[in-house]
Amino acid sequence: MKTLVVGASLKEERYSNKAINMLREYGHEVVAHGLKEGKVLDVDIFKDWKNYEDVDTVTLYLNPTRQEEFYDDIIKLHPRRVIFNPGTENSVFVSLLSENNIQSEEACTLVLLRTEQY
């Protein structure tokens, strides 16, 4: 099950960085998109949007305004679900996802992993 982290950060104190670490700890395949290129563990963070394939879950770490430029890109991936982590809640994007038969949930990726609900 591949997860795309959108809003990935190289800074260890950021939740997106913690999510990459925990997803890998739990054995998930991870790809990442962020403002700066780099690497977290064995996961490359890309600044330019890639043709990500076979993405099951997109987990968002961008505020609603910053999400707008990625609406179409994420919908084109047709993931099974998009997770809106705390602070990323966005009713407009949730509606667009629903129209495209993509599940969404407001949750914390870290909590989902720790409670075996991921």
Side-chain angles (χ1 to χ4, degrees):
M1 208 168 52
K2 188 187 296 181
T3 299
L4 170 59
V5 177
V6 178
S9 176
L10 296 169
K11 296 178 181 175
E12 292 180 6
E13 68 274 11
R14 299 284 186 161
Y15 284 106
S16 61
N17 186 293
K18 293 175 190 302
I20 292 170
N21 278 282
M22 194 178 291
L23 284 160
R24 292 301 298 129
E25 176 187 331
Y26 281 73
H28 294 278
E29 186 178 350
V30 180
V31 289
H33 181 272
L35 284 175
K36 295 182 180 172
E37 292 194 353
K39 201 169 194 129
V40 175
L41 299 176
D42 61 343
V43 178
D44 291 312
I45 298 175
F46 296 102
K47 187 176 172 182
D48 295 322
W49 191 261
K50 302 289 180 196
N51 290 326
Y52 303 106
E53 294 181 1
D54 303 320
V55 172
D56 175 79
T57 300
V58 174
T59 184
L60 293 174
Y61 290 92
L62 294 174
N63 71 50
T65 305
R66 298 261 341 280
Q67 292 170 24
E68 291 176 21
E69 68 181 282
F70 299 105
Y71 288 176
D72 290 339
D73 293 324
I74 291 171
I75 289 168
K76 284 178 190 168
L77 295 175
H78 211 281
R80 180 175 59 86
R81 68 176 170 174
V82 174
I83 297 173
F84 290 84
N85 286 279
T88 67
E89 298 87 350
N90 182 342
S91 60
V92 172
F93 196 16
V94 166
S95 294
L96 289 170
L97 293 168
S98 179
E99 289 169 15
N100 287 277
N101 299 312
I102 300 169
Q103 297 174 32
S104 62
E105 66 182 289
E106 293 179 3
C108 175
T109 297
L110 302 177
V111 172
L112 291 174
L113 285 163
R114 285 273 187 244
T115 58
E116 299 178 5
Q117 298 179 67
Y118 195 82

